[in-house]
Amino acid sequence: MKFIVLTLFKEIFEPFVTTSIIKRTIEKELVSIDVVDIRDFTEDKHNRVDFPPYGGGSGMIISAEPLSKAIDYSIEKLKSDNKDIKIIYMSPRGKVLNYNISKKLSISNNNYIIICGHYEGIDERIIDEYNVEEISIGDYVLTGGELASQVLMDSVIRLLPGAISEDSLIEESHTNNLLEYPQYTKPYDFRGRIVPDVLISGHHKKIAEYRKQESIRITKKFRPDLLDK
C-alpha cells in the first residue's frame, strides 16, 4: 500500500515515518509514505499557494491550481501499480473516522493520496474535480490536516497483515463494538491494588468470560452507544 501526502509542512512527517511501528512497516515494504510539498507546484512569483476567499471572509484558501498539479503529479507516480487511487481530504466536515472505516481502507486494493488542508481549507472545486472523499478525526478543528492524516494512516497501517501481531488485533477496542477489557501486568500489588485473582488462576475459560464481562462493563460506562450496535 502506498500513501502520498500533500502538505505545506513536510517536516511534520519526519518523526512519523522514522519511529515505531510505522518505521517497521516501511522497512518491511508493507507500506510506503511519500510526502509532497504543495508549494513545489505554484507558479506564483512569491511562492504563495493561499489566497483570500471570493465573497470575503476571514482566513486564506489553498488555491486549486498548485493543488491540482500536486494531485496530478501524485496520480502519475501511482499509476504503474495497477491499483485504484483514492484521494482523501482531511476535513472537519467529513465523515468521522472509526474502526470500520480504517478496516475498509486497509483491505481495499487502493493506493491513497491524502490532502492536508491548512488555513481555511482548500478550493471546493478540487473536491468536485477529483471526487475527493472527506474524512474527519473528530468534532473539532485543527490548524492543519497534518496530524489528522497521521492518525488516519496509523489506524490503517496497523491493520495491514504483518504490521503487528494478529493476536493484538483480535480483542482490542472497537473490533466487536466493545471497548477493550482492563489490562494488568507486574507488579501484582501496586499500592494495595492487586491483580484480579481470575487472571492468575490459569483457567483460560474463566479468564475469557471475565474479560468479556469487563468489556461490556467498560463499554456501558464509557461508550453505551456502542452497545446499540
Side-chain angles (χ1 to χ4, degrees):
M1 180 177 290
K2 293 182 179 179
F3 292 94
I4 297 181
V5 184
L6 309 183
T7 177
L8 299 177
F9 301 95
K10 290 181 66 173
E11 62 275 11
I12 292 177
F13 291 89
E14 183 175 352
F16 179 71
V17 300
T18 57
T19 55
S20 191
I21 291 171
I22 303 301
K23 177 184 178 181
R24 293 200 297 271
T25 56
I26 293 172
E27 290 174 344
K28 291 180 180 179
E29 298 184 350
L30 300 175
V31 68
S32 70
I33 301 174
D34 291 331
V35 184
V36 172
D37 191 338
I38 300 169
R39 287 190 179 90
D40 291 342
F41 299 88
T42 184
E43 295 182 3
D44 181 80
K45 63 180 181 180
H46 301 296
N47 208 34
R48 289 181 60 188
V49 297
D50 58 304
F51 299 92
Y54 282 120
S58 61
M60 308 289 275
I61 308 296
I62 296 178
S63 171
E65 285 294 345
L67 184 51
S68 65
K69 291 176 182 177
I71 292 172
D72 292 342
Y73 165 83
S74 302
I75 291 173
E76 199 62 36
K77 284 192 70 174
L78 296 173
K79 268 185 178 179
S80 60
D81 280 4
N82 294 318
K83 287 187 174 185
D84 291 335
I85 300 170
K86 187 70 178 176
I87 303 175
I88 297 171
Y89 170 45
M90 306 310 301
S91 164
R93 73 183 190 186
K95 57 186 177 183
V96 178
L97 181 65
N98 59 30
Y99 176 83
N100 289 332
I101 292 174
S102 298
K103 183 65 176 178
K104 181 180 178 181
L105 295 178
S106 74
I107 64 177
S108 299
N109 187 37
N110 293 338
N111 287 324
Y112 297 99
I113 298 170
I114 303 179
I115 302 171
C116 298
H118 214 74
Y119 314 119
E120 292 301 310
I122 67 174
D123 192 302
E124 186 74 14
R125 290 169 291 185
I126 289 291
I127 295 170
D128 298 334
E129 177 73 15
Y130 292 95
N131 191 29
V132 174
E133 179 178 1
E134 298 182 65
I135 294 180
S136 167
I137 63 167
D139 295 333
Y140 50 88
V141 179
L142 300 173
T143 54
E146 285 75 20
L147 294 178
S149 73
Q150 293 177 21
V151 170
L152 174 67
M153 287 189 288
D154 191 292
S155 73
V156 172
I157 291 170
R158 66 188 305 278
L159 296 176
L160 296 176
I164 62 176
S165 167
E166 290 188 15
D167 291 342
S168 298
L169 299 175
I170 293 173
E171 296 181 322
E172 67 180 0
S173 292
H174 301 291
T175 54
N176 56 1
N177 288 321
L178 292 174
L179 301 182
E180 191 174 16
Y181 47 80
Q183 298 276 20
Y184 302 88
T185 187
K186 294 180 178 181
Y188 170 73
D189 186 331
F190 172 68
R191 298 180 180 177
R193 301 175 185 272
I194 62 173
V195 176
D197 289 340
V198 64
L199 296 179
I200 57 174
S201 67
H203 197 300
H204 298 299
K205 185 176 180 180
K206 287 184 178 180
I207 291 173
E209 180 60 27
Y210 167 81
R211 285 175 167 170
K212 180 181 178 181
Q213 293 303 317
E214 283 295 284
S215 285
I216 294 171
R217 180 184 68 83
I218 291 292
T219 305
K220 186 179 294 185
K221 179 178 180 180
F222 293 107
R223 289 290 306 276
D225 59 294
L226 293 176
L227 295 177
D228 295 336
K229 300 179 181 180

